[in-house]
Amino acid sequence: MAGGEPPRRDRSRLPAARRRRQIVEVTTRLIAERGFRGLSMQDVADGCGLTVPGLLHHVGSKDGLLVAVLEHRDAEDARTLAAELGRPDDLAGVDLRRMCSALVRRNASQPEIVRLFAVLEAESLTPSHPAHDYFAARQDRTVAVFTDLAKDVTDTPGSLARQITAMMDGLQIQWLRSPGTTDLVREWEAAARALFAGLPA
């Protein structure tokens, strides 16, 4: 056939949950490679064996696809973290320092996902970005969780929570820039000793 074979479309009917997971995984890989601005709905559709209209049937829009990817990764990370801490149902009452260490170890094991979030978080500082509200709300949730866990160890839990968040974010950027020379877990533990100095163990 002149011009080569057209891309094959997978006509198999996957259950909706499995199809959505496939779409999220393909999109995550493409965003990590190209950034959200370079993401093509056609490439996502091709990667899933779908047409673009078929893809849109599942995600609604490119913006909806982005939010689905972010929410999926947050949910996966939360489940993994809760299981590691032995608290599958509720993180209330978990030791703050232990939780932070587990979170950093989790991030150190998935540099592509951390890079994806770092790129999108920076892009989303522009109010018109489709993930602007998502990242603003996510930051508020993160600080709120740390603040709640810090109430037992300091009289200024909100301040400590913001310092922890800033330290984690900053160390992750340095690690992403120089993964061969920056040990994220080791640097966090050194920072934690300073952040938690003088506080109850």
Side-chain angles (χ1 to χ4, degrees):
M1 176 178 174
E5 292 292 327
R8 178 182 177 276
R9 301 296 174 193
D10 182 0
R11 299 297 181 186
S12 63
R13 297 253 181 209
L14 291 177
R18 283 182 59 195
R19 178 66 79 186
R20 189 170 179 84
R21 185 177 183 89
Q22 177 196 44
I23 291 168
V24 165
E25 289 173 351
V26 169
T27 304
T28 298
R29 175 176 55 79
L30 291 173
I31 294 176
E33 292 172 358
R34 310 172 188 180
F36 178 67
R37 300 300 182 191
L39 181 67
S40 160
M41 295 295 277
Q42 184 65 63
D43 287 344
V44 176
D46 289 345
C48 297
L50 294 170
T51 62
V52 171
L55 173 63
L56 292 173
H57 170 75
H58 290 279
V59 299
S61 66
K62 186 177 180 181
D63 292 356
L65 178 57
L66 174 61
V67 172
V69 167
L70 296 172
E71 289 178 343
H72 173 75
R73 293 314 316 177
D74 271 346
E76 288 289 301
D77 285 346
R79 277 193 291 271
T80 301
L81 185 62
E84 180 175 341
L85 294 170
R87 302 292 291 272
D89 300 318
D90 185 8
L91 289 175
V94 169
D95 178 76
L96 175 61
R97 187 165 180 174
R98 181 170 171 241
M99 180 181 179
C100 290
S101 293
L103 180 58
V104 171
R105 287 195 303 273
R106 167 70 174 167
N107 287 344
S109 73
Q110 49 178 1
E112 290 306 317
I113 296 300
V114 176
R115 181 176 292 106
L116 168 66
F117 270 77
V119 169
L120 290 175
E121 187 166 15
E123 289 181 350
S124 73
L125 290 173
T126 304
S128 61
H129 191 279
H132 176 80
D133 292 342
Y134 171 87
F135 275 106
R138 185 174 186 266
Q139 178 175 290
D140 289 345
R141 287 195 307 272
T142 299
V143 171
V145 168
F146 287 159
T147 298
D148 189 58
L149 296 179
K151 288 177 180 176
D152 293 335
V153 299
T154 178
D155 293 332
T156 55
S159 178
L160 178 59
R162 287 186 291 275
Q163 290 172 32
I164 289 170
T165 303
M167 183 66 75
M168 283 187 176
D169 288 350
L171 287 175
Q172 285 176 172
I173 293 297
Q174 293 179 39
W175 169 62
L176 291 171
R177 287 191 186 282
S178 306
T181 58
T182 302
D183 183 322
L184 179 60
V185 174
R186 185 178 63 192
E187 293 297 337
W188 164 254
E189 293 302 333
R193 286 193 291 273
L195 284 171
F196 291 95
L199 299 179

